Amino acid sequence: MALSIVHRVTGIALYFGTLLLAWWLISAASGPTAYAHVQAFTSSFLGRLIVFGYTWALLHHLLSGIRHFFWDLGYGFKASERETMTWGALIGGISLTVLLWIAAYAIGGGR
Amino acid sequence: MSSLESQSAPPRSMRTPLGRVRALGAAHSGTQDFWRQRLTAVANVPLTIAFVVIVVSLLGRNHAAAAQILGSPLVAIIMLLFIGSTAVHMKIGMQVIIEDYVHDEIAKLTLIMANAFFTIAVALACAYGILKLSFGL
């Protein structure tokens, strides 16, 4: 598995994704009009795609990062262990993203 | 004393050559970034989960409700911790990537500076938003 690059790529995506977080928080602090602009963007197809991608990047980077805790502590260096943790991060990241969005639609859609 | 010996003598110091370099590594700055990257990584696990819960709880809410929740003490403090820890983490992470792939000295230094400016500016912007919601106008 050569997925360590995915950890970096998701890290880079999250790095620039913080611009979206800053925009959201500043607009919330600015008032209803500015906040409505952000909501219009995040409700659009492109906006949802970006936030969906951000969700996956965040959750994948989180799970993938937990592998590094094991490695830093000196565990999980066997080939089978590396494979298990890497596939776990990959599958876990995608699964959690889908589950979270289902939950988000159930919660947010009800309001 | 021969002239060779006096020329090669190091500046006056009680420290041995080994003592001067011990624990500093190839970067000559020690393991501070390495340690901080792990420290913020550990902090980011619970903070990221809390951040996701906060965002989901705000979905579909209007501005007044979202502003009230984001400005409430517990949520605001968690958000500030998340922003601070994330900013340190991503600054170090991006610097490592730059150092790995950019070998031109001027380009590398420029990008490392830009990285520091970007992360500080984004973190400050986020923190400003949270604090303004917390303390009002």
Side-chain angles (χ1 to χ4, degrees):
Chain A
M1 295 297 293
L3 274 174
S4 67
I5 195 65
V6 179
H7 191 69
R8 282 206 161 172
V9 170
T10 50
I12 294 169
L14 293 167
Y15 182 94
F16 292 105
T18 55
L19 286 173
L20 192 63
L21 176 65
W23 182 39
W24 177 57
L25 292 173
I26 293 285
S27 67
S30 301
T33 317
Y35 197 68
H37 285 307
V38 177
Q39 284 190 311
F41 175 72
T42 52
S43 306
S44 69
F45 178 75
L46 181 67
R48 289 213 169 157
L49 200 64
I50 289 171
V51 178
F52 187 82
Y54 183 90
T55 313
W56 172 75
L58 187 67
L59 295 172
H60 179 86
H61 198 81
L62 176 69
L63 293 176
S64 180
I66 288 171
R67 295 178 314 155
H68 286 277
F69 293 152
F70 285 102
W71 290 329
D72 284 343
L73 293 169
Y75 301 106
F77 284 108
K78 278 190 223 153
S80 61
E81 293 168 337
R82 294 201 312 267
E83 291 274 319
T84 306
M85 288 200 292
T86 300
W87 278 108
L90 199 64
I91 295 166
I94 294 167
S95 311
L96 281 177
T97 304
V98 172
L99 284 174
L100 188 65
W101 272 68
I102 291 169
Y105 268 97
I107 294 167
R111 274 200 280 269
Chain B
M1 187 185 277
S2 75
S3 62
L4 186 68
E5 269 176 343
S6 62
Q7 276 174 8
S8 63
R12 282 160 202 261
S13 170
M14 294 294 282
R15 303 188 69 191
T16 63
L18 178 62
R20 272 198 291 275
V21 299
R22 182 170 270 163
L24 290 178
H28 307 295
S29 58
T31 53
Q32 193 180 56
D33 276 0
F34 178 92
W35 171 249
R36 281 193 184 157
Q37 190 69 333
R38 269 86 192 151
L39 183 74
T40 51
V42 171
N44 278 345
V45 174
L47 290 172
T48 299
I49 294 167
F51 168 68
V52 168
V53 170
I54 289 167
V55 173
V56 170
S57 75
L58 290 171
L59 291 175
R61 290 192 195 272
N62 64 23
H63 173 259
Q68 194 187 14
I69 291 168
L70 279 171
S72 64
L74 184 65
V75 173
I77 289 167
I78 290 170
M79 287 296 290
L80 288 172
L81 287 171
F82 174 71
I83 290 157
S85 182
T86 298
V88 173
H89 190 80
M90 73 187 211
K91 190 245 170 197
I92 299 169
M94 185 56 87
Q95 184 163 331
V96 168
I97 292 172
I98 292 166
E99 287 165 350
D100 276 358
Y101 300 125
V102 182
H103 302 301
D104 178 74
E105 202 62 21
I106 298 291
K108 186 170 77 180
L109 290 176
T110 307
L111 285 172
I112 286 173
M113 269 198 185
N115 178 40
F117 294 157
F118 177 86
T119 47
I120 291 167
V122 166
L124 193 80
C126 290
Y128 173 83
I130 295 289
L131 292 174
K132 189 160 181 284
L133 287 165
S134 300
F135 300 133
L137 292 168

